[in-house]
Amino acid sequence: MKTIYIKILVFVMFFTGVLQLKLLDIAWENFKIIQALHIVISIVMMLFLIAPFIYKHIQNYFFVKNVRSIDGWLLLCTISLLTLSGFYLFFIGNRGGDIFGTLSFNLHLYGSFILIFFFIYHTNKQQKPNISLQIILASLISFAPLYAQTPKLSLTEIEGKKDAHHSEDWTNSIKCKSCHNDIFEQWSDSNHKHMAGSNPYYMVMETLAGEVEGQEFRKWCMGCHNPSGIATGLGKTTHAMEGNFLSNEMFEKNAKTLKSDFKAQGNFRVEEGVSCITCHQITKAQSKGNASFSLSLDRKKYAFEDSTSDMGRWFNEKLINSNPDVHKKSYSNPLYKESKYCASCHDEFHPKTDIKIVSTFAEWEKSPYNNPKDKSKHKTCIDCHMTNLQNNKFSPLKAVSTDGGVIKDDVKVHYFSGSNHFLSGLKNKTHEDQTIQLLKTSAKLDVDLKEGKLVVGVTNIGAGHHLPTGAADFRELWLDITVKDKNGNVVLSSGKLKDDGNIEIGSRLFQKVFGDEDGKPVGLLFWKYKKLLSDTRIPAGEKRVESYEINKNVQYPLEATIKLNFRIYPQWATDAVKTVYPNLPSPPTIELSKVVKEFK
């Protein structure tokens, strides 16, 4: 066999081994294939190709031509050690605590680089140009994108000299309660507060993402759901503890665990979710998704602000209240009134493929609500999601934002009403009510009977983005249709729930469905999204029409009952989460709009 072919085979073994380095963090589904190929290719090549070649090479040069080459013998020793260590790892393994396993692992890993060095040097001392060197350089160039384009899982930038902050650099949200009690109480049961450890759906998804894509991939989730964890260098979200027991915050009200943690440990345990300090120390935000904001914790502090004693904290509050201008400037920014402030998390792309998974801000940008030239039509994110509602209408809250402060005509509430009424509702019915009211402002129905068809229109009249938006593959918005004849017999039915809680097949849903590269729905693994299988959502201000065939022989008059239903999570997703959180109830179906009409 020609030397050039042996060189290529050695480099194939080398690079299938290099691809298994933790540094590259290859997705597990790819890693397991590369690992198997490396083992099989190495064994076959060594036994049937490389070993016979080495035997003939030694016989020819050492015994026949009487060539004495020190680097040749070093090369042989290196190959022998790599072969023995490889066989040991495969047949016996590196099981932890085993000195031979650890030795074999390190010999096999670092010896491969020594092998390449000796191999190039030995086989090409007399050759110009160096063909082997050309091969390895070409290979390295081809693999360079793996290093140069390693995806950044979180785009959060921490301003200042530190790469990561210590937990003591953060101000616990409990400290804000002493002066902003109403705002704190609103936030304490909100979904922004309960974004991570106390959110069962999130915890299952972050864990699943880590298991499927590698533990480092958790940071893609944490950037928005657990920013304080990212900023302090944590690699995963952990559950809160009560002594030696896990704390169940799913049904907990008023941030009970946060209060007890702060009382016992101060700032030592960083709070999960989006805290007061996270939002109010963002200095820059972009619509690039994946937590594309800048955080600064280098703010001006009053005396005793970091005190751990009750007296010190009390004295610090008095100092702030006596001259609050610096405090106000430290936690305020004109950026907070702009929609791009929210875009940093509510536009989301895949870190490896750049495919947009969530485009809420981009949808708003193209909507009629993005109209800064006409103030009467222009609405930002906070105009809808941080304004109080009453009787399904926006009713700005006249109150104080600071205890003892001036009464404002429109205090921006911190319920952060969106679509997830369910999880916040487990803790606080006011939260749930605010969100359901907002949902009911989003759409209207119209219905008619034309040429033997029931025609139903759904218009997005209130949402400044697609309806639904966000992780819309997990949002269920659908039509529930019942038509009865004059005798009360059902002649048309669609959109009913089956006994297992899932929506019956053939129902008309307004959603997007993600597929993988083969066009199969990705289900829970939404980050596997490569192809958009369907998108029937309704853009802001637009209308979708669905028609249903009516049997020609029905007896009139007909009574049609049309409902527009919403459910925050599909039953199949909830069932998956319940395997880990059996106490989790199933989300209810919310009726957003209803029309009953008779046709004669």
Side-chain angles (χ1 to χ4, degrees), residues 135-340:
I135 294 172
I136 193 169
L137 285 175
S139 302
L140 287 173
I141 291 170
S142 68
F143 281 101
L146 289 174
Y147 293 92
Q149 297 178 8
T150 299
K152 195 169 183 181
L153 297 170
S154 173
L155 298 179
T156 302
E157 294 181 356
I158 309 299
E159 294 187 359
K161 298 179 180 180
K162 298 180 181 179
D163 292 329
H165 284 268
H166 190 275
S167 58
E168 291 295 336
D169 293 326
W170 289 74
T171 293
N172 193 296
S173 297
I174 291 294
K175 296 177 72 172
C176 307
K177 174 178 167 54
S178 60
C179 294
H180 306 280
N181 184 66
D182 289 345
I183 300 296
F184 175 86
E185 294 299 331
Q186 293 166 8
W187 168 85
S188 66
D189 289 332
S190 72
N191 287 321
H192 271 197
K193 192 272 180 217
H194 296 278
M195 288 279 281
S198 54
N199 182 327
Y201 290 87
Y202 173 77
M203 290 303 291
V204 167
M205 295 307 296
E206 185 194 306
T207 303
L208 186 60
E211 293 296 327
V212 173
E213 300 292 340
Q215 296 303 313
E216 186 74 8
F217 196 73
R218 287 174 177 262
K219 292 181 179 179
W220 180 58
C221 312
M222 293 174 65
C224 290
H225 283 261
N226 193 357
S228 56
I230 285 284
T232 51
L234 299 182
K236 64 184 294 187
T237 299
T238 57
H239 289 281
M241 301 289 289
E242 290 181 354
N244 292 323
F245 299 94
L246 287 178
S247 172
N248 182 7
E249 296 180 83
M250 193 192 315
F251 303 102
E252 169 187 293
K253 302 176 188 286
N254 306 120
K256 176 185 173 184
T257 298
L258 183 65
K259 293 175 182 176
S260 60
D261 279 351
F262 182 70
K263 186 175 182 180
Q265 304 175 40
N267 285 339
F268 182 73
R269 179 177 173 84
V270 175
E271 59 192 289
E272 54 98 357
V274 181
S275 64
C276 300
I277 195 75
T278 300
C279 280
H280 287 275
Q281 285 304 121
I282 289 177
T283 57
K284 290 184 291 185
Q286 303 177 72
S287 59
K288 293 182 179 180
N290 296 35
S292 54
F293 53 78
S294 298
L295 270 174
S296 173
L297 301 185
D298 299 325
R299 60 199 181 280
K300 293 181 179 179
K301 295 183 179 181
Y302 290 70
F304 299 99
E305 188 162 330
D306 294 324
S307 175
T308 57
S309 70
D310 291 339
M311 179 60 74
R313 291 171 185 161
W314 176 86
F315 191 49
N316 171 250
E317 291 170 12
K318 299 305 175 186
L319 292 173
I320 294 174
N321 287 333
S322 66
N323 188 10
D325 286 347
V326 171
H327 178 78
K328 286 181 179 179
K329 290 178 182 178
S330 295
Y331 293 94
S332 300
N333 190 320
L335 169 67
Y336 302 162
K337 295 181 180 180
E338 298 180 30
S339 291
K340 70 176 181 180

Side-chain angles (χ1 to χ4, degrees), residues 364 367-369 377 379-381 383-385 389 392 394 418 437-444 458-467 538-542 564 592:
W364 171 85
S367 79
Y369 296 98
K377 296 179 180 178
K379 282 190 177 182
T380 64
C381 300
D383 287 333
C384 292
H385 295 282
L389 289 115
N392 297 340
F394 291 109
Q437 286 191 64
L438 182 63
L439 283 167
K440 290 186 174 182
T441 67
S442 63
K444 73 173 183 179
V458 184
T459 306
N460 179 350
I461 60 169
H465 41 67
H466 285 24
L467 186 64
I538 312 169
E542 294 188 17
L564 181 64
L592 301 190

